[in-house]
């Protein structure tokens, strides 16, 4: 089953859901705040993408985190921040089996789903 992880209030997540629905692609939506997240989930994503790609350093939430908490990050500290502040995760995260992708653009989704259609 395809799962899209994000926040209900996120414009990119809503756009990704609309894109999937318009193509009759079934996906479960998992709200990172309401439904939660854990180290195992973030560990899978980091293994596939790298923690640096998951961490949204341009978000308003990121800028509100004290600088001393943001400095000198490594994988474990980044995962801890993402658990504490789910809004710093770049969204949406798309996952099915071993496949994980982050972010939304119609062009990127066209490529991803063209590969899986065959």
């Amino acid at each position: 089953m395809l799962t899209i992880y994000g926040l209900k209030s996120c414009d990119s997540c809503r756009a990704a859901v609309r894109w999937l629905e318009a193509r009759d692609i079934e996906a479960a939506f998992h709200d990172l705040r309401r439904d939660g997240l854990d180290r195992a989930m973030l560990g899978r994503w980091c293994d596939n993408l790298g923690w640096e790609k998951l961490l949204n350093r341009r978000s308003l939430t990121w800028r509100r985190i004290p600088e001393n908490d943001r400095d000198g990050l490594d994988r474990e500290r980044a995962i801890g921040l993402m658990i504490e502040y789910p809004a710093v995760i770049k969204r949406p995260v798309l996952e099915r089996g071993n496949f994980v992708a982050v972010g939304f653009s119609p062009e990127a989704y066209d490529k991803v789903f063209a590969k899986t259609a065959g």
Side-chain angles (χ1 to χ4, degrees), residues 1-4 16-29 94-96 99 104 106 108-117:
M1 172 60 131
L2 179 67
T3 304
I4 186 165
V17 168
R18 283 192 305 270
W19 189 97
L20 294 168
E21 288 172 348
R23 287 151 185 83
D24 293 323
I25 299 171
E26 287 189 44
F29 186 82
L94 200 59
E95 183 177 42
R96 178 173 32 202
F99 171 78
F104 172 73
Y109 272 38
D110 284 339
K111 288 178 186 174
V112 165
F113 288 96
K115 291 178 187 175
T116 61

Side-chain angles (χ1 to χ4, degrees), residues 66-83:
E67 193 171 331
N68 60 328
D69 291 339
R70 295 182 290 164
D71 288 342
L73 283 182
D74 60 13
R75 176 187 161 115
E76 288 308 307
R77 288 191 55 224
I79 287 174
L81 280 179
M82 289 185 267
I83 288 172

Side-chain angles (χ1 to χ4, degrees), residues 31-110:
D31 188 285
L32 294 170
R33 284 191 186 123
R34 188 189 70 222
D35 301 324
L37 69 157
D38 58 34
R39 285 189 180 279
M41 179 187 301
L42 286 165
R44 274 194 324 269
W45 300 347
C46 289
D47 289 345
N48 277 282
L49 301 169
W51 67 266
E52 296 92 344
K53 191 168 182 179
L54 280 173
L55 190 64
N56 184 358
R57 295 174 190 249
R58 296 187 326 196
S59 75
L60 182 59
T61 302
W62 174 258
R63 290 185 296 244
R64 289 181 178 163
I65 296 171
E67 193 171 331
N68 60 328
D69 291 339
R70 295 182 290 164
D71 288 342
L73 283 182
D74 60 13
R75 176 187 161 115
E76 288 308 307
R77 288 191 55 224
I79 287 174
L81 280 179
M82 289 185 267
I83 288 172
E84 188 173 350
Y85 306 99
V88 300
I89 298 171
K90 199 172 290 182
R91 306 173 298 275
V93 176
L94 200 59
E95 183 177 42
R96 178 173 32 202
N98 292 328
F99 171 78
V100 179
V102 66
F104 172 73
S105 78
E107 299 81 17
Y109 272 38
D110 284 339

